[in-house]
Amino acid sequence: MTSDTAMTVVSEQRWDPGPPLDAGFVDGEISIREELRRGDFTRWRRAGGHELRERLTDRPERLFLFQTEGHWYAGCKTISDYVLDQGMPGVFCSRVYWYNVVGTVTSVRTSDTDARIVFEPLDETGRRAAFEAITPLTEIVHPFAKQRDPGREKTSPSDGWLVTEERAAFLGLGEQHLRRYTRERFRSWCEAADGDLLAYDPACSTGQFLSEFATMDPARIRTVGQDLSSQMADFAASRLERVVCGDAASPAVETGSVDILFSRFLNSEVVSTAQARSLLPALVDTLRPGGTMVLLGHSPVLLDAVDLVSAGLRVRQTVARQDDHLFQYYVCEHGA
């Protein structure tokens, strides 16, 4: 991101895990998940229909939309097993399950304080069918940006956190399925490529994601990480071939040199939507002709296919399917 914003991208200068989630809140989130599994929509019933409503300063990121076979569907994320079973900070992760699909969309509306989706509930058969109809090119859209204060999107703290082994472990929790899928998704791509491959992560955090990707062929995959935090860059240096402390707006690699770029920071609660759009062109320019850019992350991706195509990319995939869940996973090819 840009230095003008004085924002640290996935970087740390202090580690404060904060208080654990309130037990009553967790119980409420578990109840929401169980009600959705049963198909009990009583909680969302109103006189004029059923509605999902969230304050923009609360948890609007749980709401999502997707379109298949000419129909728009609404969804509601539920508390992640990473939170319940492994103590991951936060509430949600990137995974979407069949029971998160609630029904067809009647209307979508926002105010200065909240977001609302009115929907027509579907039975379990219909919900499962809609979930299964999602293709690798169906976009899962999170249309409502989380706000720190009214009118201001929530982003990473300007002073960041101190990176420690404990903090690094927490940062990696929510990406376990993403790292596994990435290795599976690109294994044949790697095997078919000639010569060395340059893999670049412009906000590399602890370096875990890129280093695990390189295990597919450590003799050929060259890794370059970059992070705005000097502490994070120092931490990642033991995992990656080269790490640069610097602003992602000024990439640490030559123009047209990158075979594959992983973006895990053009995401909600990391940068703003405007910042994500302004950072994209410089990142695209690092790709060689035919090079690959992958956008993914623990929180919702702030860009969509329109942004990516406008930046000169060909969108080859928007969604990944793994085991019993789906998640946003944009795979793009440099069109130059």
Side-chain angles (χ1 to χ4, degrees):
M1 56 177 296
T2 62
S3 55
D4 292 343
T5 64
M7 189 71 64
T8 301
V9 175
V10 195
S11 58
E12 277 72 23
Q13 292 179 345
R14 70 173 185 273
W15 163 232
D16 178 11
L21 291 174
D22 176 77
F25 169 80
V26 172
D27 288 344
E29 286 294 322
I30 293 173
S31 293
I32 289 173
R33 189 172 69 175
E34 293 310 308
E35 288 166 20
L36 287 176
R37 283 174 170 165
R38 295 195 306 268
D40 178 2
F41 296 103
T42 304
R43 175 190 299 268
W44 298 278
R45 185 181 300 138
R46 302 292 181 268
H50 291 78
E51 68 173 28
L52 300 168
R53 186 191 292 265
E54 289 286 335
R55 293 184 63 84
L56 296 174
T57 52
D58 195 6
R59 294 178 177 83
E61 70 274 21
R62 79 187 308 155
L63 307 182
F64 64 91
L65 303 169
F66 64 93
Q67 184 182 32
T68 66
E69 300 174 349
H71 299 285
W72 278 98
Y73 296 90
C76 179
K77 279 190 175 180
T78 47
I79 192 166
S80 172
D81 287 335
Y82 289 137
V83 176
L84 297 175
D85 300 337
Q86 301 184 56
M88 184 185 74
V91 182
F92 312 117
C93 66
S94 62
R95 296 175 296 184
V96 171
Y97 298 84
W98 75 265
Y99 53 81
N100 294 127
V101 179
V102 296
T104 55
V105 175
T106 301
S107 69
V108 179
R109 186 177 294 274
T110 60
S111 71
D112 58 350
T113 60
D114 63 16
R116 185 192 72 183
I117 301 173
V118 179
F119 67 96
E120 182 67 30
L122 291 172
D123 60 17
E124 180 174 332
T125 299
R127 295 162 70 197
R128 286 184 179 273
F131 179 79
E132 293 302 326
I134 294 174
T135 75
L137 283 172
T138 301
E139 286 196 271
I140 298 175
V141 181
H142 294 264
F144 311 116
K146 189 181 185 76
Q147 297 183 1
R148 182 178 302 277
D149 302 305
R152 185 165 69 101
E153 286 185 46
K154 184 177 181 181
T155 56
S156 295
S158 59
D159 55 352
W161 296 281
L162 173 67
V163 59
T164 64
E165 291 292 343
E166 181 188 17
R167 175 65 177 167
F170 274 121
L171 285 172
L173 273 180
E175 291 188 338
Q176 291 179 25
H177 60 288
L178 298 172
R179 295 193 300 271
R180 176 163 66 94
Y181 178 83
T182 297
R183 293 192 301 273
E184 295 169 354
R185 171 65 170 77
F186 287 100
R187 191 172 304 280
S188 61
W189 171 87
C190 180
E191 292 171 350
D194 295 326
D196 288 352
L197 296 167
L198 179 58
Y200 172 50
D201 188 336
C204 66
S205 185
T206 66
Q208 181 178 9
F209 188 93
L210 203 57
S211 65
E212 289 196 15
F213 173 76
T215 61
M216 291 193 303
D217 194 339
R220 295 174 55 225
I221 298 177
R222 310 268 67 85
T223 56
V224 177
Q226 182 172 355
D227 203 279
L228 194 59
S229 164
S230 60
Q231 294 170 331
M232 193 64 82
D234 289 343
F235 190 93
S238 64
R239 291 174 164 172
L240 304 177
E241 184 174 328
R242 176 174 168 243
V243 179
V244 175
C245 177
D247 194 322
S250 299
V253 292
E254 294 183 5
T255 298
S257 65
V258 174
D259 292 286
I260 188 164
L261 184 155
F262 293 104
S263 170
R264 299 173 298 119
F265 78 112
L266 302 181
N267 294 65
S268 175
E269 301 184 62
V270 184
V271 297
S272 70
T273 303
Q275 289 167 346
R277 288 172 176 162
S278 69
L279 284 162
L280 181 62
L283 299 177
V284 172
D285 285 345
T286 69
L287 297 171
R288 65 167 177 77
T292 299
M293 182 172 184
V294 183
L295 297 94
L296 67 161
H298 173 66
S299 61
V301 177
L302 292 172
L303 304 176
D304 55 26
V306 171
D307 298 304
L308 301 171
V309 171
S310 296
L313 296 168
R314 299 189 183 100
V315 179
R316 302 303 192 192
Q317 179 179 338
T318 59
V319 167
R321 188 180 292 271
Q322 182 186 62
D323 302 331
D324 58 351
H325 56 266
L326 304 168
F327 47 88
Q328 287 182 306
Y329 196 93
Y330 287 80
V331 179
C332 307
E333 181 181 291
H334 195 302

